[in-house]
Amino acid sequence: MIFDTHAHYDDEAFNEDREEVLLKMQEMGVGTIVDIGESMESSQRALELAKVYDFMYCAVGVHPSKVENLTEADMEWIEETVKKEKKAVAIGEIGLDYHWPEPSLELQKKWFERQLRIAIDTNTPVVIHSRNAAKDTMDMIRAAHEAAISEGKELSGVMHCYSYSAEQAKEYVSMGFYLGIGGVLTYKNEKKLMKVVKAVPMENLVLETDCPYLTPEPHRGERNISWYLPEVIKKIAEFREMDTTEVEKKTEENARRLYKLEK
């Protein structure tokens, strides 16, 4: 069944019909969902959702645009949560976002590095958000990856909504990272992501919605939802000359490996 590796069902966009939507997932062919935190508050909501629904898991962490008021106590909560809660399978979404001038680059880097450190120390995969920050993101992940290896540990995870070059994609894959592929792949004239999907091994691609955002065609303009992912599957199948059933099966296997949920 479909594995949505990155969703935000804790978002207010689902306040009116959240339970109705989630109870319909398996009927619509969606087998597993990871709800991704982006702030301390949303991380807590994501964890509570994951505890309610058997097919849901969560990531806890703080998005670069939400790091302004973070404290060490928050980091302790994240670390303890991924250690103790079986439903908390990743740290994220974390990273760098240079689209807006605030928070400062220094502050974003500080808390990105801190959360990467927690991931290494707890052997927990990361969910990386990177916008207009290709070089700094790569430099920081490469440094953290090398540090982990030098300590006999590892750093793994997924590049959420991957939007950079095929060359950088290959470097992330060489470090054991996965690439999150979602609705953007279905957009008209989206040539860069098409090249990425063709260039990297199928074993490193996973499906994501980022719902309620980034809705695929032909549903663009609507609230995104996990059962729209077959539109993304069709595009991957087309670009890689595969059967859609094979794409669905392979991306589910990849997602389980990414989040260490192998059956």
Side-chain angles (χ1 to χ4, degrees):
M1 297 181 78
I2 291 170
F3 192 131
D4 185 352
T5 63
H6 191 120
H8 297 284
Y9 285 106
D10 62 284
D11 190 274
E12 62 182 12
F14 295 99
N15 281 356
E16 293 185 7
D17 60 352
R18 183 176 292 108
E19 183 176 10
E20 178 185 346
V21 167
L22 292 175
L23 289 177
K24 193 176 178 182
M25 285 296 167
Q26 297 196 319
E27 174 191 338
M28 299 299 288
V30 180
T32 313
I33 297 169
V34 179
D35 199 80
I36 310 292
E38 59 172 10
S39 65
M40 292 304 297
E41 294 76 17
S42 71
S43 292
Q44 290 158 5
R45 292 196 303 268
L47 177 60
E48 291 308 310
L49 267 184
K51 289 180 176 180
V52 171
Y53 298 94
D54 290 344
F55 60 91
M56 292 188 77
Y57 296 86
C58 72
V60 294
V62 180
H63 186 287
S65 67
K66 305 287 179 69
V67 299
E68 198 78 56
N69 298 310
L70 278 182
T71 66
E72 263 307 306
D74 296 327
M75 296 300 102
E76 290 170 11
W77 182 86
I78 290 171
E79 183 165 359
E80 287 304 305
T81 299
V82 296
K83 282 180 178 178
K84 294 180 178 179
E85 299 286 354
K86 291 182 179 179
K87 282 302 193 84
V89 295
I91 294 174
E93 59 188 281
I94 64 174
L96 301 173
D97 193 322
Y98 294 175
H99 183 70
W100 306 108
E102 298 294 337
S104 70
L105 308 191
E106 292 74 18
L107 200 58
Q108 290 189 41
K109 288 180 178 180
K110 170 188 173 180
W111 292 112
F112 184 26
E113 183 176 34
R114 182 70 181 87
Q115 292 177 95
L116 287 172
R117 185 70 251 177
I118 295 172
I120 293 169
D121 290 342
T122 60
N123 191 28
T124 306
V126 288
V127 179
I128 303 295
H129 171 103
S130 180
R131 188 181 188 191
N132 298 347
K135 183 181 184 303
D136 284 356
T137 304
M138 175 64 80
D139 288 347
M140 291 186 69
I141 290 180
R142 189 189 294 121
H145 177 71
E146 291 172 358
I149 291 173
S150 72
E151 298 169 19
K153 299 176 182 178
E154 69 172 22
L155 176 68
S156 63
V158 56
M159 302 304 297
H160 155 57
C161 193
Y162 187 77
S163 61
Y164 298 136
S165 69
E167 290 70 30
Q168 282 200 328
K170 290 176 182 177
E171 183 165 357
Y172 282 120
V173 165
S174 75
M175 292 188 284
F177 275 73
Y178 296 79
L179 307 180
I181 308 299
V184 173
L185 186 65
T186 70
Y187 297 170
K188 189 177 180 180
N189 300 322
E190 181 47 58
K191 301 277 174 48
K192 186 191 290 186
L193 190 55
M194 178 185 71
K195 290 178 181 177
V196 169
V197 166
K198 289 181 175 180
V200 304
M202 187 64 205
E203 287 72 20
N204 293 87
L205 299 181
V206 294
L207 301 174
E208 64 171 36
T209 54
D210 199 26
C211 67
Y213 314 106
L214 299 179
T215 311
E217 297 288 2
H219 304 284
R220 202 169 179 185
E222 303 173 28
R223 177 185 66 176
N224 200 3
I225 204 159
S226 299
W227 58 69
Y228 289 164
L229 277 170
E231 302 300 335
V232 180
I233 291 172
K234 287 177 192 174
K235 282 295 182 182
I236 294 175
E238 175 188 334
F239 295 148
R240 295 194 65 98
E241 299 181 347
M242 296 171 64
D243 182 79
T244 54
T245 304
E246 186 181 2
V247 171
E248 182 176 319
K249 180 175 183 290
K250 193 66 182 175
T251 51
E252 181 184 17
E253 291 172 357
N254 297 346
R256 290 192 173 279
R257 196 165 59 251
L258 158 64
Y259 287 129
K260 303 180 181 180
L261 295 171
E262 293 100 328
K263 292 179 181 177

